[in-house]
Amino acid sequence: MITMMISAIENDFQREFMTRIYTDFYSVMFAKAKSLVPLAEDAEELVQDVFADLIKRVDCVMAVDSKKLPAYLISAVKYHAYNFNRHQKVKKSHSAEDYSEEDMELIADKNALPEDIVLRKEAVAELKSALEKIPEKYKDILEFKYVLGLSDSEIGERFGLSESGVRSLIFRARRKAYSVMKEGF
């Protein structure tokens, strides 16, 4: 995957520079990522994300002093690992699986009938099931919007989209989740 990203760079000098970074520093970056996240697959994905960001800013990376480049790359890995771990923590804290039956009943409206509580629990279960079946980027954008409460501009920065692009993606994500839920009936 990383080699495909590098090969997509049009400028020969920049492509050679990023190839050198990949061959010289990949193992160090992966080892650092592996020490910061729990799973090796997550570490691999994290390093891929770092390289994607480095490729976007290849001119800035090329301007870094060669003696400081290893520290720069490790800092990039640490930054991405921090964001990854923070994102995982937020996902876990907002997961319905973390709530016991008693917690769910406390969350439910105190005046709700038992049938309403059961229906609400079923709806939450259906929504969770639908979210597991939609593409990851749709799941992420819905989480950023409705769980984390980020604005369209903040989401746009993370996805590299304009605000209208974010709204369009949210619309498609909601439509996809709805169609998955509809198929369940």
Side-chain angles (χ1 to χ4, degrees), residues 21 50 58 66 77 108 135 137 148:
I21 287 179
V50 170
V58 69
S66 63
V77 170
K137 74 174 183 177
L148 299 176

Side-chain angles (χ1 to χ4, degrees), residues 62 99 101 120 134 143 179:
M62 291 174 74
Y99 297 109
E101 283 290 318
R120 183 174 289 148
I134 64 174
E143 185 175 298
S179 69

Side-chain angles (χ1 to χ4, degrees), residues 17 21 25 54 57-76:
F17 178 78
I21 287 179
F25 298 106
L54 293 174
R57 292 184 266 115
V58 69
D59 290 329
C60 295
V61 177
M62 291 174 74
V64 174
D65 182 14
S66 63
K67 293 176 184 173
K68 295 179 181 180
L69 187 60
Y72 178 85
L73 297 173
I74 294 300
S75 293

Side-chain angles (χ1 to χ4, degrees), residues 84-145:
F84 174 84
N85 289 327
R86 191 178 74 198
H87 178 71
Q88 293 302 318
K89 185 177 177 183
V90 169
K91 276 174 71 172
K92 186 177 181 195
S93 72
H94 287 75
S95 173
E97 293 172 355
D98 295 337
Y99 297 109
S100 66
E101 283 290 318
E102 292 119 17
D103 292 337
M104 291 298 283
E105 288 178 20
L106 288 173
I107 292 170
D109 183 9
K110 296 289 182 198
N111 298 323
L113 297 172
E115 299 86 27
D116 293 337
I117 294 171
V118 170
L119 289 173
R120 183 174 289 148
K121 287 180 185 178
E122 288 176 359
V124 167
E126 286 176 27
L127 182 58
K128 280 182 60 182
S129 175
L131 289 176
E132 293 300 319
K133 296 175 184 173
I134 64 174
E136 192 70 28
K137 74 174 183 177
Y138 287 161
K139 193 183 323 180
D140 286 345
I141 199 152
L142 290 174
E143 185 175 298
F144 287 147
K145 181 68 176 178

